[in-house]
Amino acid sequence: MLLSTIPVYMINGFLESGKTQFISYTLAQPYFQTKGKTLLLYDEELLKASKTVVELIEDEEDFNPEYLKELEKKHKPERIVIEFNGVWNPKNIELPKNWRIDQQITNIDASTFQMYYTNMKSLVAEHVRNSEMIIFNRCDDLEDLASFKRNIKAVNAQAEVKFEDKDGELNVSLLEEA
């Protein structure tokens, strides 16, 4: 039996980095309102809207191909969104064979980035290494965003780096400064 490939959207970042807000915004967008179910693998409750099924995975050892396959059989999703716990190492991700990561995005709270980068540089690097986009949020009143961008580009030169203000709006002046 040939298994159909299921697209996976991986959203990662540390505590309070804006993952939940990003996922909520994305699920509400018209381009995400397609036929079929979305399976959200998530580490806390989210509003159960837009035909999205939420499954709670609290322990890293439960994030394994066997359990994920059980969830696929149970829900029969058309797509999967994973809010990946920021303290889990992305190097340990093993997905079922018919799941493919279509997009990986990392959210970073700019106000805590320097602390995480200084104290957990290798873990931050693992989150950034395969991400297509890095979104720094809460960039208001922060100086030297260019150094944040340089740190990201040193790990992943291909990543698109965005800077948002505290309201989640892209700030053109912040982009020009970086």
Side-chain angles (χ1 to χ4, degrees):
M1 182 173 123
L2 184 62
L3 296 174
S4 61
T5 303
I6 300 173
V8 176
Y9 302 90
M10 178 81 67
I11 312 301
N12 50 5
F14 290 97
L15 185 64
E16 299 298 320
S17 65
K19 298 182 304 283
T20 301
Q21 182 178 358
F22 180 83
I23 290 170
S24 297
Y25 174 82
T26 301
L27 291 176
Q29 296 308 301
Y31 61 80
F32 220 85
Q33 305 302 315
T34 60
K35 288 184 180 179
K37 231 181 250 181
T38 297
L39 172 60
L40 177 59
L41 301 180
Y42 195 65
D43 66 357
E44 61 183 73
E45 279 297 314
L46 176 67
L47 296 174
K48 294 177 182 177
S50 68
K51 299 179 194 166
T52 300
V53 179
V54 177
E55 286 285 349
L56 177 66
I57 300 178
E58 293 182 3
D59 300 313
E60 187 173 10
E61 58 268 9
D62 292 335
F63 195 90
N64 62 64
E66 294 78 25
Y67 182 64
L68 297 174
K69 201 68 183 161
E70 286 178 31
L71 295 176
E72 178 186 341
K73 287 177 186 175
K74 177 180 176 183
H75 297 293
K76 298 173 182 53
E78 296 291 322
R79 73 205 62 73
I80 298 167
V81 176
I82 300 173
E83 180 183 340
F84 195 72
N85 188 316
V87 296
W88 296 352
N89 192 331
K91 280 197 313 193
N92 299 333
I93 293 174
E94 189 178 349
L95 299 175
K97 296 199 182 314
N98 64 313
W99 291 24
R100 73 166 188 283
I101 296 179
D102 272 9
Q103 188 172 37
Q104 185 168 322
I105 298 171
T106 298
N107 288 278
I108 299 174
D109 180 345
S111 67
T112 60
F113 174 68
Q114 201 57 53
M115 177 195 64
Y116 280 117
Y117 196 72
T118 300
N119 296 311
M120 300 189 311
K121 188 175 189 173
S122 63
L123 189 55
V124 172
E126 286 305 320
H127 283 273
V128 167
R129 189 173 323 283
N130 295 313
S131 292
E132 295 173 35
M133 183 184 308
I134 313 301
I135 302 172
F136 282 96
N137 54 46
R138 302 178 188 114
C139 293
D140 307 82
D141 304 322
L142 293 177
E143 296 179 13
D144 201 19
L145 293 173
S147 70
F148 290 10
K149 187 173 183 177
R150 283 192 302 275
N151 288 333
I152 297 301
K153 291 293 191 173
V155 174
N156 181 346
Q158 309 307 306
E160 185 177 354
V161 180
K162 304 270 188 191
F163 296 97
E164 295 180 344
D165 62 20
K166 67 180 179 344
D167 298 320
E169 299 295 324
L170 284 177
N171 190 320
V172 176
S173 64
L174 293 174
L175 295 171
E176 291 169 356
E177 294 168 16

